[in-house]
Amino acid sequence: MWESSIITNINLSLGMDSDPPFHETYKTLFAATKPLNNDWLAAVAAVEELELPSIDLTRLSLEWPEKERCKNDIARAANEWGFFQVVNHGISRDVLEKMREEQVKVFKQPFQHKCREDKFMNVSAGSYRWGTPTATCLRLLSWSEAFHIPMTDISSLGDTSTFSSSSLHQFATKVASLAQKLAEILAEKSGKKSTFFQENTLPSTCYLRLNRYPPCPIPLFGLMPHTDSDFLTVLYQDQVGGLQLVKDGKWVAVKPNPEALFINIGDLFQAWSNDCYKSIQHCAVTNPTKERFSVAYFLCPSYDTVIESCSSNKPSVYRRFSFKEYRQQVHEDVQNYGYKIGLPRFLV
């Protein structure tokens, strides 16, 4: 029964129009799909839903020892889960809602306009991306569209007839400050220099990614399973759901929380902390009837920053490498294999 409905939906989808034009662009992938042989379709369709560890950041303003307990909870979640959620994070509901309103307006623009993002949104050409140009099967296709906006572009954004930049700028400023605060706490708790991030992260390499996941008639990845190639990611998502991650060797769905921002550790932090913190595989899955929106802030260093893993109680797990070298290796692997290999490339 399940396989029959999937086949029917695939056939229907081939005749559908969409924005972006997924069906037309990837129609050969749809036509070649054999659902009976694709267990991954069933896997993304139904997994257990869990609530991430939740940390109330107002505890950081309390006296010792509660402040220290809060820091310990952050470090524990980063070690055991690689993901956690924070509430009372200092970004008001008003700021979040206004930012989301502008995000929705941007994605409601016609496809041709979004492809000219330098004109209608005053951001760098190439910021708008959708689908997966290198996909050779549906399993390697990301059913989503996004704007990748460096913080340097956000600081110089101006209002246009379709977009008001002030709410996005306000959100970006506050979320960048939050990411720095959390990174410093995690550095302190791993015995590393807490000022490292202030000294090495730049607006030109940190960026926001505005995401939209259109409805999809079959269960596909909105964003393929991956780890983030940064230090730290801060995510604000709507209540549709779709974020999944690996916990104890199995995929689980993350329960949405309208009061929370979601934090995850990136590859660079795992290497820099010598595996004290974990960069976890995660993905986004589509919804058959609802579109989903999210925005993520990525805390990244300058390209010349050297990542060196060391600790007082165990040998280095990874060799020294620069962020530029890591990005280049990821790019080569995606071009050659269709996916990122990541940190295993840099093991000692």
Side-chain angles (χ1 to χ4, degrees), residues 18 25-26 40 71 96 127 131 135 148 190 220 226 237 263 287 291 301 306 330 340 345:
S18 66
T25 304
Y26 297 105
W40 63 275
K71 291 181 179 181
L96 294 175
S127 297
H148 294 244
S190 65
L220 293 181
H226 67 286
Q237 63 172 353
I263 315 298
N287 185 288
E291 62 183 349
V306 173
V330 168
K340 162 186 160 182
R345 289 284 198 193

Side-chain angles (χ1 to χ4, degrees), residues 87-243:
V87 296
N88 294 319
H89 39 66
I91 304 178
S92 70
R93 174 62 65 87
D94 182 62
V95 168
L96 294 175
E97 289 180 351
K98 286 182 178 178
M99 186 278 301
R100 178 55 43 79
E101 289 173 4
E102 293 304 320
Q103 180 182 7
V104 171
K105 281 198 287 184
V106 165
F107 282 112
K108 291 301 182 185
Q109 295 302 304
F111 177 66
Q112 294 83 356
H113 288 193
K114 288 181 284 192
C115 290
R116 296 298 307 276
E117 68 276 67
D118 56 325
K119 299 297 183 183
F120 96 91
M121 201 175 167
N122 295 330
V123 296
S124 302
S127 297
Y128 176 66
R129 306 169 191 182
W130 67 281
T132 310
T134 58
T136 55
C137 63
L138 287 184
R139 188 171 188 170
L140 298 178
L141 173 62
S142 288
W143 192 273
S144 59
E145 58 179 334
F147 286 92
H148 294 244
I149 311 178
M151 293 295 282
T152 45
D153 278 8
I154 290 173
S155 63
S156 60
L157 279 178
D159 293 346
T160 69
S161 59
T162 57
F163 175 72
S164 174
S165 65
S166 59
S167 56
L168 185 62
H169 184 271
Q170 191 174 11
F171 171 80
T173 301
K174 290 182 176 294
V175 79
S177 177
L178 174 63
Q180 284 282 348
K181 177 192 295 186
L182 293 172
E184 289 171 6
I185 290 171
L186 289 167
E188 173 191 331
K189 287 299 169 182
S190 65
K192 305 279 275 187
K193 184 180 179 183
S194 62
T195 59
F196 176 87
F197 300 98
Q198 288 285 356
E199 296 168 357
N200 290 282
T201 55
L202 299 174
S204 59
T205 51
C206 297
Y207 65 96
L208 285 184
R209 176 182 165 117
L210 308 181
N211 302 300
R212 173 181 175 259
Y213 302 92
C216 183
I218 61 174
L220 293 181
F221 292 122
L223 201 59
M224 282 178 52
H226 67 286
T227 58
D228 289 348
S229 300
D230 64 349
F231 276 115
L232 193 75
T233 305
V234 182
L235 177 74
Y236 172 56
Q237 63 172 353
D238 62 21
Q239 300 310 296
V240 173
L243 175 62

Side-chain angles (χ1 to χ4, degrees), residues 24-51:
E24 177 62 27
T25 304
Y26 297 105
K27 60 184 177 182
T28 56
L29 301 187
F30 279 89
T33 296
K34 299 177 181 178
L36 289 172
N37 297 326
N38 280 323
D39 293 338
W40 63 275
L41 285 173
V44 301
V47 297
E48 179 186 4
E49 186 178 67
L50 294 180
E51 190 165 345

